[in-house]
Amino acid sequence: MQPATIDAYHSAQSEPDRQICDLLRAALDRGLPKAESRIWHAHPVWFLEGNPIAGYSKLKSCVRLMFWSGQTFETPGLTPSGSFKAAEVRYTEPAQVDPGALAQWLSEARDIQWDYKNIVKRKGRLERLK
């Protein structure tokens, strides 16, 4: 069953994974203060004006933090994910979360955005938002 809230999502995680999720949630809330956060496709995602910016999900062996426009960020440490502009980093323990890199990625996430909100309307073509 899909959790209805981010709190419910966190409650369903094991202790180490919940600690990672708590760290990520606090950082995303701080770094994206104008964003709306909610459960989307079964995991927590932050949106700016309806456009997905960042989110995290529990995978089998880790917690994955994803930035929808991360492939175009300058700060190193993210790995490309999928066929669009997304990039990710994976964590297996809370100590791996680097607050400095995370703050940089969040700064870039506010400034560098691709229009995922209208990707279906544009038949799979992404455009960079200004």
PDB file of all heavy atoms in Angstrom, residues 88-119:
ATOM      1  N   GLU A  88      21.344  11.072  -9.697  1.00  0.00           N
ATOM      2  CA  GLU A  88      21.078  10.564  -8.357  1.00  0.00           C
ATOM      3  C   GLU A  88      22.354  10.340  -7.569  1.00  0.00           C
ATOM      4  O   GLU A  88      23.459  10.315  -8.114  1.00  0.00           O
ATOM      5  CB  GLU A  88      20.325   9.239  -8.458  1.00  0.00           C
ATOM      6  CG  GLU A  88      21.182   8.150  -9.088  1.00  0.00           C
ATOM      7  CD  GLU A  88      20.463   6.817  -9.222  1.00  0.00           C
ATOM      8  OE1 GLU A  88      19.283   6.783  -9.628  1.00  0.00           O
ATOM      9  OE2 GLU A  88      21.117   5.796  -8.916  1.00  0.00           O
ATOM     10  N   VAL A  89      22.142  10.143  -6.272  1.00  0.00           N
ATOM     11  CA  VAL A  89      23.181   9.674  -5.369  1.00  0.00           C
ATOM     12  C   VAL A  89      22.499   8.668  -4.448  1.00  0.00           C
ATOM     13  O   VAL A  89      21.313   8.815  -4.132  1.00  0.00           O
ATOM     14  CB  VAL A  89      23.849  10.837  -4.589  1.00  0.00           C
ATOM     15  CG1 VAL A  89      22.852  11.580  -3.735  1.00  0.00           C
ATOM     16  CG2 VAL A  89      25.029  10.357  -3.758  1.00  0.00           C
ATOM     17  N   ARG A  90      23.241   7.645  -4.047  1.00  0.00           N
ATOM     18  CA  ARG A  90      22.657   6.589  -3.208  1.00  0.00           C
ATOM     19  C   ARG A  90      23.377   6.528  -1.869  1.00  0.00           C
ATOM     20  O   ARG A  90      24.599   6.660  -1.807  1.00  0.00           O
ATOM     21  CB  ARG A  90      22.746   5.243  -3.929  1.00  0.00           C
ATOM     22  CG  ARG A  90      21.905   5.239  -5.198  1.00  0.00           C
ATOM     23  CD  ARG A  90      21.990   3.945  -5.955  1.00  0.00           C
ATOM     24  NE  ARG A  90      21.152   4.003  -7.150  1.00  0.00           N
ATOM     25  CZ  ARG A  90      20.597   2.958  -7.709  1.00  0.00           C
ATOM     26  NH1 ARG A  90      20.794   1.747  -7.204  1.00  0.00           N
ATOM     27  NH2 ARG A  90      19.848   3.102  -8.782  1.00  0.00           N
ATOM     28  N   TYR A  91      22.576   6.301  -0.823  1.00  0.00           N
ATOM     29  CA  TYR A  91      23.101   6.262   0.543  1.00  0.00           C
ATOM     30  C   TYR A  91      22.716   4.945   1.209  1.00  0.00           C
ATOM     31  O   TYR A  91      21.576   4.488   1.090  1.00  0.00           O
ATOM     32  CB  TYR A  91      22.512   7.405   1.374  1.00  0.00           C
ATOM     33  CG  TYR A  91      22.759   8.780   0.807  1.00  0.00           C
ATOM     34  CD1 TYR A  91      21.718   9.507   0.237  1.00  0.00           C
ATOM     35  CD2 TYR A  91      24.025   9.366   0.852  1.00  0.00           C
ATOM     36  CE1 TYR A  91      21.927  10.781  -0.275  1.00  0.00           C
ATOM     37  CE2 TYR A  91      24.239  10.635   0.330  1.00  0.00           C
ATOM     38  CZ  TYR A  91      23.189  11.342  -0.224  1.00  0.00           C
ATOM     39  OH  TYR A  91      23.397  12.598  -0.733  1.00  0.00           O
ATOM     40  N   THR A  92      23.657   4.377   1.964  1.00  0.00           N
ATOM     41  CA  THR A  92      23.367   3.181   2.753  1.00  0.00           C
ATOM     42  C   THR A  92      23.464   3.456   4.250  1.00  0.00           C
ATOM     43  O   THR A  92      23.062   2.615   5.052  1.00  0.00           O
ATOM     44  CB  THR A  92      24.320   2.022   2.387  1.00  0.00           C
ATOM     45  OG1 THR A  92      25.672   2.469   2.553  1.00  0.00           O
ATOM     46  CG2 THR A  92      24.094   1.575   0.943  1.00  0.00           C
ATOM     47  N   GLU A  93      24.009   4.621   4.612  1.00  0.00           N
ATOM     48  CA  GLU A  93      24.061   5.017   6.029  1.00  0.00           C
ATOM     49  C   GLU A  93      24.035   6.542   6.137  1.00  0.00           C
ATOM     50  O   GLU A  93      24.493   7.241   5.227  1.00  0.00           O
ATOM     51  CB  GLU A  93      25.286   4.437   6.724  1.00  0.00           C
ATOM     52  CG  GLU A  93      26.594   4.791   6.078  1.00  0.00           C
ATOM     53  CD  GLU A  93      27.750   4.031   6.726  1.00  0.00           C
ATOM     54  OE1 GLU A  93      27.767   2.797   6.646  1.00  0.00           O
ATOM     55  OE2 GLU A  93      28.613   4.707   7.314  1.00  0.00           O
ATOM     56  N   PRO A  94      23.504   7.053   7.232  1.00  0.00           N
ATOM     57  CA  PRO A  94      23.351   8.505   7.389  1.00  0.00           C
ATOM     58  C   PRO A  94      24.648   9.293   7.249  1.00  0.00           C
ATOM     59  O   PRO A  94      24.645  10.404   6.707  1.00  0.00           O
ATOM     60  CB  PRO A  94      22.760   8.657   8.790  1.00  0.00           C
ATOM     61  CG  PRO A  94      22.107   7.357   9.084  1.00  0.00           C
ATOM     62  CD  PRO A  94      22.921   6.321   8.369  1.00  0.00           C
ATOM     63  N   ALA A  95      25.766   8.743   7.684  1.00  0.00           N
ATOM     64  CA  ALA A  95      27.050   9.462   7.638  1.00  0.00           C
ATOM     65  C   ALA A  95      27.507   9.759   6.211  1.00  0.00           C
ATOM     66  O   ALA A  95      28.360  10.617   6.000  1.00  0.00           O
ATOM     67  CB  ALA A  95      28.119   8.666   8.372  1.00  0.00           C
ATOM     68  N   GLN A  96      26.947   9.070   5.228  1.00  0.00           N
ATOM     69  CA  GLN A  96      27.320   9.306   3.826  1.00  0.00           C
ATOM     70  C   GLN A  96      26.714  10.592   3.266  1.00  0.00           C
ATOM     71  O   GLN A  96      27.171  11.074   2.238  1.00  0.00           O
ATOM     72  CB  GLN A  96      26.883   8.124   2.958  1.00  0.00           C
ATOM     73  CG  GLN A  96      27.620   6.852   3.275  1.00  0.00           C
ATOM     74  CD  GLN A  96      27.039   5.670   2.531  1.00  0.00           C
ATOM     75  OE1 GLN A  96      25.842   5.591   2.272  1.00  0.00           O
ATOM     76  NE2 GLN A  96      27.904   4.732   2.173  1.00  0.00           N
ATOM     77  N   VAL A  97      25.689  11.124   3.903  1.00  0.00           N
ATOM     78  CA  VAL A  97      25.042  12.347   3.420  1.00  0.00           C
ATOM     79  C   VAL A  97      25.996  13.512   3.671  1.00  0.00           C
ATOM     80  O   VAL A  97      26.305  13.832   4.819  1.00  0.00           O
ATOM     81  CB  VAL A  97      23.677  12.571   4.103  1.00  0.00           C
ATOM     82  CG1 VAL A  97      23.045  13.869   3.607  1.00  0.00           C
ATOM     83  CG2 VAL A  97      22.744  11.388   3.851  1.00  0.00           C
ATOM     84  N   ASP A  98      26.467  14.135   2.604  1.00  0.00           N
ATOM     85  CA  ASP A  98      27.392  15.261   2.684  1.00  0.00           C
ATOM     86  C   ASP A  98      26.590  16.560   2.652  1.00  0.00           C
ATOM     87  O   ASP A  98      26.070  16.940   1.600  1.00  0.00           O
ATOM     88  CB  ASP A  98      28.364  15.196   1.503  1.00  0.00           C
ATOM     89  CG  ASP A  98      29.337  16.362   1.452  1.00  0.00           C
ATOM     90  OD1 ASP A  98      29.135  17.372   2.149  1.00  0.00           O
ATOM     91  OD2 ASP A  98      30.316  16.258   0.689  1.00  0.00           O
ATOM     92  N   PRO A  99      26.463  17.254   3.799  1.00  0.00           N
ATOM     93  CA  PRO A  99      25.636  18.461   3.850  1.00  0.00           C
ATOM     94  C   PRO A  99      26.083  19.552   2.874  1.00  0.00           C
ATOM     95  O   PRO A  99      25.244  20.250   2.295  1.00  0.00           O
ATOM     96  CB  PRO A  99      25.767  18.948   5.293  1.00  0.00           C
ATOM     97  CG  PRO A  99      26.290  17.798   6.064  1.00  0.00           C
ATOM     98  CD  PRO A  99      27.054  16.935   5.098  1.00  0.00           C
ATOM     99  N   GLY A 100      27.390  19.689   2.656  1.00  0.00           N
ATOM    100  CA  GLY A 100      27.891  20.710   1.733  1.00  0.00           C
ATOM    101  C   GLY A 100      27.495  20.439   0.298  1.00  0.00           C
ATOM    102  O   GLY A 100      26.996  21.321  -0.405  1.00  0.00           O
ATOM    103  N   ALA A 101      27.712  19.206  -0.167  1.00  0.00           N
ATOM    104  CA  ALA A 101      27.325  18.835  -1.534  1.00  0.00           C
ATOM    105  C   ALA A 101      25.819  18.935  -1.699  1.00  0.00           C
ATOM    106  O   ALA A 101      25.320  19.452  -2.707  1.00  0.00           O
ATOM    107  CB  ALA A 101      27.807  17.424  -1.860  1.00  0.00           C
ATOM    108  N   LEU A 102      25.082  18.477  -0.697  1.00  0.00           N
ATOM    109  CA  LEU A 102      23.620  18.528  -0.765  1.00  0.00           C
ATOM    110  C   LEU A 102      23.129  19.968  -0.879  1.00  0.00           C
ATOM    111  O   LEU A 102      22.251  20.269  -1.693  1.00  0.00           O
ATOM    112  CB  LEU A 102      23.027  17.822   0.463  1.00  0.00           C
ATOM    113  CG  LEU A 102      21.527  17.622   0.511  1.00  0.00           C
ATOM    114  CD1 LEU A 102      20.963  17.051  -0.779  1.00  0.00           C
ATOM    115  CD2 LEU A 102      21.172  16.722   1.685  1.00  0.00           C
ATOM    116  N   ALA A 103      23.707  20.865  -0.112  1.00  0.00           N
ATOM    117  CA  ALA A 103      23.320  22.282  -0.194  1.00  0.00           C
ATOM    118  C   ALA A 103      23.613  22.844  -1.585  1.00  0.00           C
ATOM    119  O   ALA A 103      22.808  23.613  -2.137  1.00  0.00           O
ATOM    120  CB  ALA A 103      24.047  23.094   0.873  1.00  0.00           C
ATOM    121  N   GLN A 104      24.755  22.467  -2.170  1.00  0.00           N
ATOM    122  CA  GLN A 104      25.095  22.930  -3.526  1.00  0.00           C
ATOM    123  C   GLN A 104      24.116  22.391  -4.557  1.00  0.00           C
ATOM    124  O   GLN A 104      23.665  23.113  -5.440  1.00  0.00           O
ATOM    125  CB  GLN A 104      26.520  22.512  -3.886  1.00  0.00           C
ATOM    126  CG  GLN A 104      27.587  23.347  -3.226  1.00  0.00           C
ATOM    127  CD  GLN A 104      27.490  24.801  -3.660  1.00  0.00           C
ATOM    128  OE1 GLN A 104      27.234  25.675  -2.840  1.00  0.00           O
ATOM    129  NE2 GLN A 104      27.672  25.066  -4.930  1.00  0.00           N
ATOM    130  N   TRP A 105      23.800  21.097  -4.459  1.00  0.00           N
ATOM    131  CA  TRP A 105      22.846  20.505  -5.408  1.00  0.00           C
ATOM    132  C   TRP A 105      21.478  21.183  -5.296  1.00  0.00           C
ATOM    133  O   TRP A 105      20.824  21.441  -6.305  1.00  0.00           O
ATOM    134  CB  TRP A 105      22.695  19.014  -5.172  1.00  0.00           C
ATOM    135  CG  TRP A 105      23.929  18.203  -5.445  1.00  0.00           C
ATOM    136  CD1 TRP A 105      24.878  18.448  -6.407  1.00  0.00           C
ATOM    137  CD2 TRP A 105      24.348  17.033  -4.765  1.00  0.00           C
ATOM    138  NE1 TRP A 105      25.854  17.489  -6.355  1.00  0.00           N
ATOM    139  CE2 TRP A 105      25.556  16.607  -5.356  1.00  0.00           C
ATOM    140  CE3 TRP A 105      23.829  16.292  -3.712  1.00  0.00           C
ATOM    141  CZ2 TRP A 105      26.240  15.479  -4.934  1.00  0.00           C
ATOM    142  CZ3 TRP A 105      24.501  15.168  -3.285  1.00  0.00           C
ATOM    143  CH2 TRP A 105      25.700  14.767  -3.890  1.00  0.00           C
ATOM    144  N   LEU A 106      21.066  21.485  -4.075  1.00  0.00           N
ATOM    145  CA  LEU A 106      19.769  22.143  -3.887  1.00  0.00           C
ATOM    146  C   LEU A 106      19.775  23.554  -4.454  1.00  0.00           C
ATOM    147  O   LEU A 106      18.785  24.004  -5.037  1.00  0.00           O
ATOM    148  CB  LEU A 106      19.380  22.140  -2.409  1.00  0.00           C
ATOM    149  CG  LEU A 106      18.987  20.754  -1.890  1.00  0.00           C
ATOM    150  CD1 LEU A 106      18.949  20.746  -0.373  1.00  0.00           C
ATOM    151  CD2 LEU A 106      17.664  20.318  -2.481  1.00  0.00           C
ATOM    152  N   SER A 107      20.889  24.250  -4.316  1.00  0.00           N
ATOM    153  CA  SER A 107      21.010  25.582  -4.913  1.00  0.00           C
ATOM    154  C   SER A 107      20.890  25.484  -6.431  1.00  0.00           C
ATOM    155  O   SER A 107      20.170  26.265  -7.063  1.00  0.00           O
ATOM    156  CB  SER A 107      22.356  26.197  -4.507  1.00  0.00           C
ATOM    157  OG  SER A 107      22.539  27.426  -5.164  1.00  0.00           O
ATOM    158  N   GLU A 108      21.581  24.519  -7.008  1.00  0.00           N
ATOM    159  CA  GLU A 108      21.499  24.332  -8.458  1.00  0.00           C
ATOM    160  C   GLU A 108      20.093  23.893  -8.869  1.00  0.00           C
ATOM    161  O   GLU A 108      19.601  24.303  -9.934  1.00  0.00           O
ATOM    162  CB  GLU A 108      22.547  23.321  -8.915  1.00  0.00           C
ATOM    163  CG  GLU A 108      23.956  23.872  -8.819  1.00  0.00           C
ATOM    164  CD  GLU A 108      25.000  22.899  -9.303  1.00  0.00           C
ATOM    165  OE1 GLU A 108      25.499  22.104  -8.488  1.00  0.00           O
ATOM    166  OE2 GLU A 108      25.309  22.946 -10.515  1.00  0.00           O
ATOM    167  N   ALA A 109      19.438  23.081  -8.047  1.00  0.00           N
ATOM    168  CA  ALA A 109      18.088  22.610  -8.369  1.00  0.00           C
ATOM    169  C   ALA A 109      17.095  23.767  -8.474  1.00  0.00           C
ATOM    170  O   ALA A 109      16.161  23.715  -9.269  1.00  0.00           O
ATOM    171  CB  ALA A 109      17.617  21.609  -7.311  1.00  0.00           C
ATOM    172  N   ARG A 110      17.309  24.812  -7.674  1.00  0.00           N
ATOM    173  CA  ARG A 110      16.430  25.989  -7.751  1.00  0.00           C
ATOM    174  C   ARG A 110      16.669  26.765  -9.041  1.00  0.00           C
ATOM    175  O   ARG A 110      15.741  27.339  -9.612  1.00  0.00           O
ATOM    176  CB  ARG A 110      16.665  26.913  -6.551  1.00  0.00           C
ATOM    177  CG  ARG A 110      16.158  26.371  -5.236  1.00  0.00           C
ATOM    178  CD  ARG A 110      16.226  27.408  -4.112  1.00  0.00           C
ATOM    179  NE  ARG A 110      17.549  27.989  -3.948  1.00  0.00           N
ATOM    180  CZ  ARG A 110      18.508  27.525  -3.144  1.00  0.00           C
ATOM    181  NH1 ARG A 110      18.280  26.442  -2.427  1.00  0.00           N
ATOM    182  NH2 ARG A 110      19.666  28.136  -3.044  1.00  0.00           N
ATOM    183  N   ASP A 111      17.911  26.784  -9.514  1.00  0.00           N
ATOM    184  CA  ASP A 111      18.290  27.606 -10.671  1.00  0.00           C
ATOM    185  C   ASP A 111      18.251  26.878 -12.004  1.00  0.00           C
ATOM    186  O   ASP A 111      18.056  27.501 -13.040  1.00  0.00           O
ATOM    187  CB  ASP A 111      19.701  28.162 -10.468  1.00  0.00           C
ATOM    188  CG  ASP A 111      19.795  29.096  -9.279  1.00  0.00           C
ATOM    189  OD1 ASP A 111      18.759  29.684  -8.890  1.00  0.00           O
ATOM    190  OD2 ASP A 111      20.894  29.224  -8.717  1.00  0.00           O
ATOM    191  N   ILE A 112      18.476  25.560 -12.000  1.00  0.00           N
ATOM    192  CA  ILE A 112      18.547  24.786 -13.236  1.00  0.00           C
ATOM    193  C   ILE A 112      17.380  23.808 -13.249  1.00  0.00           C
ATOM    194  O   ILE A 112      17.369  22.841 -12.491  1.00  0.00           O
ATOM    195  CB  ILE A 112      19.874  24.007 -13.332  1.00  0.00           C
ATOM    196  CG1 ILE A 112      21.059  24.961 -13.264  1.00  0.00           C
ATOM    197  CG2 ILE A 112      19.901  23.159 -14.602  1.00  0.00           C
ATOM    198  CD1 ILE A 112      22.405  24.259 -13.094  1.00  0.00           C
ATOM    199  N   GLN A 113      16.399  24.088 -14.102  1.00  0.00           N
ATOM    200  CA  GLN A 113      15.230  23.222 -14.159  1.00  0.00           C
ATOM    201  C   GLN A 113      14.858  22.921 -15.602  1.00  0.00           C
ATOM    202  O   GLN A 113      14.903  23.798 -16.464  1.00  0.00           O
ATOM    203  CB  GLN A 113      14.043  23.883 -13.475  1.00  0.00           C
ATOM    204  CG  GLN A 113      14.211  24.072 -11.995  1.00  0.00           C
ATOM    205  CD  GLN A 113      13.008  24.745 -11.393  1.00  0.00           C
ATOM    206  OE1 GLN A 113      11.880  24.465 -11.775  1.00  0.00           O
ATOM    207  NE2 GLN A 113      13.246  25.645 -10.458  1.00  0.00           N
ATOM    208  N   TRP A 114      14.495  21.679 -15.810  1.00  0.00           N
ATOM    209  CA  TRP A 114      13.937  21.241 -17.091  1.00  0.00           C
ATOM    210  C   TRP A 114      12.454  21.008 -16.863  1.00  0.00           C
ATOM    211  O   TRP A 114      12.029  20.617 -15.777  1.00  0.00           O
ATOM    212  CB  TRP A 114      14.648  19.977 -17.567  1.00  0.00           C
ATOM    213  CG  TRP A 114      16.066  20.252 -17.952  1.00  0.00           C
ATOM    214  CD1 TRP A 114      17.144  20.337 -17.117  1.00  0.00           C
ATOM    215  CD2 TRP A 114      16.555  20.550 -19.251  1.00  0.00           C
ATOM    216  NE1 TRP A 114      18.269  20.651 -17.823  1.00  0.00           N
ATOM    217  CE2 TRP A 114      17.943  20.778 -19.147  1.00  0.00           C
ATOM    218  CE3 TRP A 114      15.965  20.636 -20.511  1.00  0.00           C
ATOM    219  CZ2 TRP A 114      18.740  21.088 -20.231  1.00  0.00           C
ATOM    220  CZ3 TRP A 114      16.757  20.933 -21.594  1.00  0.00           C
ATOM    221  CH2 TRP A 114      18.127  21.158 -21.459  1.00  0.00           C
ATOM    222  N   ASP A 115      11.656  21.257 -17.870  1.00  0.00           N
ATOM    223  CA  ASP A 115      10.198  21.254 -17.752  1.00  0.00           C
ATOM    224  C   ASP A 115       9.609  19.848 -17.849  1.00  0.00           C
ATOM    225  O   ASP A 115       9.079  19.456 -18.888  1.00  0.00           O
ATOM    226  CB  ASP A 115       9.608  22.173 -18.826  1.00  0.00           C
ATOM    227  CG  ASP A 115       8.118  22.388 -18.651  1.00  0.00           C
ATOM    228  OD1 ASP A 115       7.561  21.945 -17.617  1.00  0.00           O
ATOM    229  OD2 ASP A 115       7.513  22.990 -19.543  1.00  0.00           O
ATOM    230  N   TYR A 116       9.700  19.108 -16.747  1.00  0.00           N
ATOM    231  CA  TYR A 116       9.102  17.774 -16.691  1.00  0.00           C
ATOM    232  C   TYR A 116       7.587  17.852 -16.612  1.00  0.00           C
ATOM    233  O   TYR A 116       6.899  16.930 -17.030  1.00  0.00           O
ATOM    234  CB  TYR A 116       9.646  16.997 -15.487  1.00  0.00           C
ATOM    235  CG  TYR A 116      11.031  16.465 -15.703  1.00  0.00           C
ATOM    236  CD1 TYR A 116      12.150  17.201 -15.344  1.00  0.00           C
ATOM    237  CD2 TYR A 116      11.227  15.224 -16.286  1.00  0.00           C
ATOM    238  CE1 TYR A 116      13.430  16.714 -15.551  1.00  0.00           C
ATOM    239  CE2 TYR A 116      12.512  14.733 -16.499  1.00  0.00           C
ATOM    240  CZ  TYR A 116      13.601  15.475 -16.129  1.00  0.00           C
ATOM    241  OH  TYR A 116      14.871  14.998 -16.343  1.00  0.00           O
ATOM    242  N   LYS A 117       7.071  18.936 -16.078  1.00  0.00           N
ATOM    243  CA  LYS A 117       5.621  19.091 -15.913  1.00  0.00           C
ATOM    244  C   LYS A 117       4.892  18.957 -17.255  1.00  0.00           C
ATOM    245  O   LYS A 117       3.793  18.417 -17.314  1.00  0.00           O
ATOM    246  CB  LYS A 117       5.315  20.456 -15.272  1.00  0.00           C
ATOM    247  CG  LYS A 117       3.847  20.703 -15.042  1.00  0.00           C
ATOM    248  CD  LYS A 117       3.593  21.955 -14.234  1.00  0.00           C
ATOM    249  CE  LYS A 117       3.842  23.203 -15.039  1.00  0.00           C
ATOM    250  NZ  LYS A 117       3.431  24.425 -14.320  1.00  0.00           N
ATOM    251  N   ASN A 118       5.504  19.422 -18.340  1.00  0.00           N
ATOM    252  CA  ASN A 118       4.858  19.405 -19.656  1.00  0.00           C
ATOM    253  C   ASN A 118       5.482  18.405 -20.627  1.00  0.00           C
ATOM    254  O   ASN A 118       5.280  18.513 -21.833  1.00  0.00           O
ATOM    255  CB  ASN A 118       4.909  20.819 -20.258  1.00  0.00           C
ATOM    256  CG  ASN A 118       4.072  21.783 -19.452  1.00  0.00           C
ATOM    257  OD1 ASN A 118       2.886  21.565 -19.255  1.00  0.00           O
ATOM    258  ND2 ASN A 118       4.702  22.830 -18.955  1.00  0.00           N
ATOM    259  N   ILE A 119       6.187  17.412 -20.105  1.00  0.00           N
ATOM    260  CA  ILE A 119       6.880  16.462 -20.977  1.00  0.00           C
ATOM    261  C   ILE A 119       5.899  15.636 -21.818  1.00  0.00           C
ATOM    262  O   ILE A 119       6.177  15.347 -22.983  1.00  0.00           O
ATOM    263  CB  ILE A 119       7.837  15.560 -20.164  1.00  0.00           C
ATOM    264  CG1 ILE A 119       8.817  14.853 -21.092  1.00  0.00           C
ATOM    265  CG2 ILE A 119       7.090  14.587 -19.297  1.00  0.00           C
ATOM    266  CD1 ILE A 119       9.960  14.184 -20.372  1.00  0.00           C
TER     267      ILE A 119
END
